[in-house]
Amino acid sequence: MTEVIIQTTKLIHQIKQRLQIAQSRKKSYADKRRSNLEFQVAYILDLPEELSQIHHTFHVLQLRKCVDDDSAVVPLEDIQFDNRLNYIERPVAILDWKTKALLNKVVGLVKVKWQHQKGSEWMWELDDEMREYYLKLFAATEFVDEV
């Protein structure tokens, strides 16, 4: 029994030594390739007077690479904000209508074209919510009588 304990202790000691050697080797490898870099966590931008409502300090993670795309430019007059300075996005038109059967109910969906939408120009939204907030859009479509 004591022989087993002695052998186990020797093996544990040998494993610890090998782990320490591997750790030391990895540390020296990383130290050779390490360079001293300093990162700033925020940038202060000089914004024009029209954008005075927006805070001028941005965290680095909020910044993205700018790709010049003239179609993405939105005139400042078209942008609307609420009292908490949140961007207000308005639907322009309803393009299509469909129903989707879930486990225990049927949900009506409408395909909505949004104003100044980045990426996809349209999204499927719940019919009930769109009727609640934007009923005037349904007056111009033929989908009103189908629901």
Side-chain angles (χ1 to χ4, degrees):
M1 184 74 163
T2 57
E3 263 185 49
V4 174
I5 295 173
I6 292 172
Q7 274 187 329
T8 307
T9 307
K10 283 182 182 179
L11 287 175
I12 291 173
H13 182 67
Q14 188 179 17
I15 292 171
K16 283 183 179 179
Q17 282 181 331
R18 288 183 181 174
L19 284 173
Q20 194 172 18
I21 291 169
Q23 183 181 11
S24 173
R25 189 178 301 143
K26 285 191 176 235
K27 183 179 179 335
S28 67
Y29 180 79
D31 287 345
K32 287 179 185 175
R33 283 153 184 78
R34 181 173 291 138
S35 60
N36 292 331
L37 297 176
E38 290 185 24
F39 295 99
Q40 294 181 350
V41 294
Y43 290 96
I44 297 177
L45 302 177
D46 187 19
L47 297 173
E49 184 62 35
E50 303 91 53
L51 301 175
S52 62
Q53 308 96 324
I54 299 173
H55 199 278
H56 65 282
T57 304
F58 293 89
H59 190 273
V60 174
L61 296 177
Q62 292 177 317
L63 300 178
R64 301 284 184 257
K65 180 179 178 183
C66 178
V67 179
D68 189 20
D69 182 11
D70 291 336
S71 65
V73 175
V74 177
L76 289 176
E77 301 83 42
D78 291 349
I79 298 176
Q80 297 176 349
F81 297 98
D82 63 8
N83 57 354
R84 297 179 65 201
L85 295 179
N86 292 323
Y87 173 65
I88 300 173
E89 192 172 44
R90 300 200 188 285
V92 176
I94 294 179
L95 306 175
D96 198 5
W97 178 86
K98 70 178 181 181
T99 58
K100 185 168 185 161
L102 300 177
L103 291 175
N104 57 357
K105 64 179 177 177
V106 176
V107 177
L109 298 172
V110 288
K111 188 176 183 180
V112 180
K113 179 176 174 33
W114 291 93
Q115 177 185 30
H116 308 304
Q117 179 74 25
K118 286 179 78 175
S120 177
E121 295 180 7
W122 54 268
M123 290 180 65
W124 287 101
E125 304 287 347
L126 290 174
D127 181 78
D128 297 339
E129 288 182 6
M130 293 303 294
R131 284 184 189 275
E132 182 180 342
Y133 296 110
Y134 307 105
L135 186 60
K136 65 180 186 238
L137 286 176
F138 288 86
T141 63
E142 69 250 20
F143 309 116
V144 175
D145 297 326
E146 296 180 28
V147 177

